[in-house]
mmCIF file of all heavy atoms in Angstrom:
data_model
loop_
_atom_site.group_PDB
_atom_site.id
_atom_site.type_symbol
_atom_site.label_atom_id
_atom_site.label_comp_id
_atom_site.label_asym_id
_atom_site.label_seq_id
_atom_site.Cartn_x
_atom_site.Cartn_y
_atom_site.Cartn_z
ATOM 1 N N GLY A 338 -21.500 79.760 68.473
ATOM 2 C CA GLY A 338 -20.828 79.761 67.193
ATOM 3 C C GLY A 338 -19.531 78.982 67.137
ATOM 4 O O GLY A 338 -18.766 79.166 66.195
ATOM 5 N N ARG A 339 -19.265 78.150 68.114
ATOM 6 C CA ARG A 339 -18.068 77.312 68.009
ATOM 7 C C ARG A 339 -18.443 75.875 68.403
ATOM 8 O O ARG A 339 -18.791 75.590 69.543
ATOM 9 C CB ARG A 339 -16.905 77.824 68.866
ATOM 10 C CG ARG A 339 -17.153 78.027 70.347
ATOM 11 C CD ARG A 339 -17.507 79.479 70.674
ATOM 12 N NE ARG A 339 -17.711 79.646 72.107
ATOM 13 C CZ ARG A 339 -17.112 80.591 72.826
ATOM 14 N NH1 ARG A 339 -16.245 81.409 72.246
ATOM 15 N NH2 ARG A 339 -17.362 80.743 74.102
ATOM 16 N N ASP A 340 -18.346 74.982 67.415
ATOM 17 C CA ASP A 340 -18.697 73.588 67.647
ATOM 18 C C ASP A 340 -17.536 72.824 68.262
ATOM 19 O O ASP A 340 -17.729 71.946 69.095
ATOM 20 C CB ASP A 340 -19.108 72.933 66.326
ATOM 21 C CG ASP A 340 -20.404 73.530 65.772
ATOM 22 O OD1 ASP A 340 -21.411 73.449 66.476
ATOM 23 O OD2 ASP A 340 -20.368 74.079 64.673
ATOM 24 N N VAL A 341 -16.334 73.126 67.806
ATOM 25 C CA VAL A 341 -15.136 72.459 68.324
ATOM 26 C C VAL A 341 -14.138 73.531 68.741
ATOM 27 O O VAL A 341 -13.897 74.499 68.009
ATOM 28 C CB VAL A 341 -14.493 71.556 67.233
ATOM 29 C CG1 VAL A 341 -13.243 70.876 67.801
ATOM 30 C CG2 VAL A 341 -15.505 70.489 66.765
ATOM 31 N N ILE A 342 -13.555 73.342 69.908
ATOM 32 C CA ILE A 342 -12.557 74.270 70.437
ATOM 33 C C ILE A 342 -11.250 73.514 70.636
ATOM 34 O O ILE A 342 -11.254 72.419 71.241
ATOM 35 C CB ILE A 342 -13.026 74.924 71.729
ATOM 36 C CG1 ILE A 342 -14.341 75.673 71.490
ATOM 37 C CG2 ILE A 342 -11.959 75.856 72.292
ATOM 38 C CD1 ILE A 342 -15.005 76.175 72.748
ATOM 39 N N ALA A 343 -10.158 74.048 70.173
ATOM 40 C CA ALA A 343 -8.879 73.348 70.251
ATOM 41 C C ALA A 343 -7.748 74.367 70.378
ATOM 42 O O ALA A 343 -7.910 75.551 70.123
ATOM 43 C CB ALA A 343 -8.688 72.478 69.017
ATOM 44 N N ILE A 344 -6.596 73.867 70.779
ATOM 45 C CA ILE A 344 -5.409 74.719 70.834
ATOM 46 C C ILE A 344 -4.276 74.057 70.053
ATOM 47 O O ILE A 344 -4.201 72.837 69.958
ATOM 48 C CB ILE A 344 -4.949 75.025 72.274
ATOM 49 C CG1 ILE A 344 -4.708 73.724 73.053
ATOM 50 C CG2 ILE A 344 -5.956 75.910 72.989
ATOM 51 C CD1 ILE A 344 -4.188 73.934 74.450
ATOM 52 N N LYS A 345 -3.399 74.889 69.512
ATOM 53 C CA LYS A 345 -2.249 74.409 68.770
ATOM 54 C C LYS A 345 -1.192 75.510 68.698
ATOM 55 O O LYS A 345 -1.552 76.689 68.660
ATOM 56 C CB LYS A 345 -2.667 73.991 67.350
ATOM 57 C CG LYS A 345 -1.553 73.358 66.513
ATOM 58 C CD LYS A 345 -2.042 72.988 65.120
ATOM 59 C CE LYS A 345 -0.945 72.327 64.293
ATOM 60 N NZ LYS A 345 -1.388 71.975 62.936
ATOM 61 N N LYS A 346 0.050 75.140 68.702
ATOM 62 C CA LYS A 346 1.110 76.117 68.613
ATOM 63 C C LYS A 346 1.322 76.506 67.150
ATOM 64 O O LYS A 346 1.504 75.669 66.286
ATOM 65 C CB LYS A 346 2.400 75.581 69.201
ATOM 66 C CG LYS A 346 2.421 75.578 70.728
ATOM 67 C CD LYS A 346 3.794 75.268 71.274
ATOM 68 C CE LYS A 346 3.800 75.396 72.788
ATOM 69 N NZ LYS A 346 5.159 75.176 73.360
ATOM 70 N N ILE A 347 1.289 77.813 66.912
ATOM 71 C CA ILE A 347 1.563 78.356 65.595
ATOM 72 C C ILE A 347 2.809 79.233 65.700
ATOM 73 O O ILE A 347 2.810 80.257 66.410
ATOM 74 C CB ILE A 347 0.385 79.196 65.065
ATOM 75 C CG1 ILE A 347 -0.904 78.369 65.047
ATOM 76 C CG2 ILE A 347 0.695 79.760 63.689
ATOM 77 C CD1 ILE A 347 -0.860 77.187 64.116
ATOM 78 N N LYS A 348 3.877 78.796 65.055
ATOM 79 C CA LYS A 348 5.170 79.499 65.143
ATOM 80 C C LYS A 348 5.594 79.657 66.589
ATOM 81 O O LYS A 348 6.077 80.734 67.011
ATOM 82 C CB LYS A 348 5.106 80.853 64.445
ATOM 83 C CG LYS A 348 4.858 80.754 62.945
ATOM 84 C CD LYS A 348 4.825 82.119 62.303
ATOM 85 C CE LYS A 348 4.576 82.019 60.793
ATOM 86 N NZ LYS A 348 4.554 83.347 60.132
ATOM 87 N N GLY A 349 5.390 78.583 67.373
ATOM 88 C CA GLY A 349 5.801 78.581 68.777
ATOM 89 C C GLY A 349 4.862 79.242 69.723
ATOM 90 O O GLY A 349 5.083 79.240 70.957
ATOM 91 N N VAL A 350 3.744 79.809 69.244
ATOM 92 C CA VAL A 350 2.780 80.508 70.095
ATOM 93 C C VAL A 350 1.509 79.680 70.224
ATOM 94 O O VAL A 350 0.896 79.326 69.219
ATOM 95 C CB VAL A 350 2.444 81.897 69.499
ATOM 96 C CG1 VAL A 350 1.421 82.611 70.400
ATOM 97 C CG2 VAL A 350 3.699 82.734 69.363
ATOM 98 N N SER A 351 1.132 79.367 71.464
ATOM 99 C CA SER A 351 -0.122 78.617 71.693
ATOM 100 C C SER A 351 -1.304 79.465 71.274
ATOM 101 O O SER A 351 -1.477 80.597 71.746
ATOM 102 C CB SER A 351 -0.233 78.232 73.172
ATOM 103 O OG SER A 351 0.780 77.315 73.525
#
Side-chain angles (χ1 to χ4, degrees):
R339 56 263 181 129
D340 294 300
V341 180
I342 301 171
I344 56 176
K345 184 180 181 181
K346 284 190 175 183
I347 303 297
K348 296 181 180 180
V350 179
S351 294

